[in-house]
Amino acid sequence: MAGEPVVFTVRYTKEHCLATAWRYWQKRLGYRYALELAIGTGLLVLATQGPYRWIEVALMVAVGIFAVLGAGLFFIHWYRARAGLAALTPPTSTWTLTEDGIIQASSLGESAIAWERLPEVWRFPELWLLIWGRDVYSTIPVAQMPREARQMIERRVKETGGVLR
């Protein structure tokens, strides 16, 4: 029935932390990161073919900074996920989906958010990321999410103008 809340409990693991960080990085930077790194490296190779040593040094610095920042984004999100997991005792979260919003409760507390505040959902085969804002998201492993929950999330996100990716 459409008015009935969907309630389910998720148990998080270290593997979820790694998968979450990887998928977030992949969607946020992914192919663009690889392409920009390849272009920067290509320009660096071209610069070494001429007498312009200052361009070579500038490109090396730029490509190096870009590579470190991109890798840093992954490690920051992985660290944050692991710290969050360590804080959860037990490492579970109970989700309640209603027509009005999403309620998530764990040993850390409870939060309730209206569907209108969920602008995006990134769907991957092993997990879904509910994107609340830039670098703010919640993870739900697909194997632990009932079919009714997936259907409700998809329906309510579409109805409230959100994006499913």
Side-chain angles (χ1 to χ4, degrees):
M1 181 176 228
E4 294 291 321
V6 177
V7 180
F8 61 99
T9 300
V10 173
R11 182 176 235 2
Y12 295 101
T13 65
K14 290 179 182 177
E15 290 77 23
H16 292 132
C17 296
L18 182 60
T20 297
W22 169 249
R23 291 301 195 172
Y24 186 80
W25 180 89
Q26 181 184 30
K27 195 71 141 181
R28 183 94 182 279
L29 291 180
Y31 296 116
R32 185 183 76 203
Y33 178 77
L35 179 63
E36 290 173 358
L37 208 52
I39 290 170
T41 304
L43 289 173
L44 181 60
V45 169
L46 288 175
T48 60
Q49 306 303 313
Y52 309 105
R53 292 293 174 209
W54 66 272
I55 291 176
E56 183 180 332
V57 171
L59 283 171
M60 269 194 279
V61 169
V63 170
I65 289 172
F66 182 72
V68 168
L69 289 176
L73 181 71
F74 169 79
F75 286 109
I76 286 169
H77 285 274
W78 187 29
Y79 174 78
R80 281 180 31 190
R82 297 273 314 262
L85 179 66
L88 280 176
T89 306
T92 60
S93 179
T94 299
W95 294 78
T96 304
L97 309 177
T98 68
E99 289 298 318
D100 296 326
I102 301 170
I103 301 165
Q104 182 182 14
S106 71
S107 62
L108 300 177
E110 184 175 304
S111 63
I113 301 174
W115 288 106
E116 292 79 13
R117 300 287 184 218
L118 179 61
E120 286 187 67
V121 175
W122 296 351
R123 298 172 293 178
F124 300 99
E126 73 280 11
L127 59 88
W128 283 17
L129 294 176
L130 282 58
I131 307 298
W132 305 107
R134 186 167 180 89
D135 293 337
V136 179
Y137 52 85
S138 299
T139 305
I140 305 176
V142 171
Q144 299 180 50
M145 186 173 24
R147 183 178 47 84
E148 299 83 23
R150 287 188 293 250
Q151 291 171 340
M152 181 179 262
I153 291 170
E154 289 174 335
R155 178 177 59 80
R156 291 301 290 143
V157 167
K158 286 179 187 175
E159 290 173 355
T160 57
V163 179
L164 298 168
R165 296 184 195 273

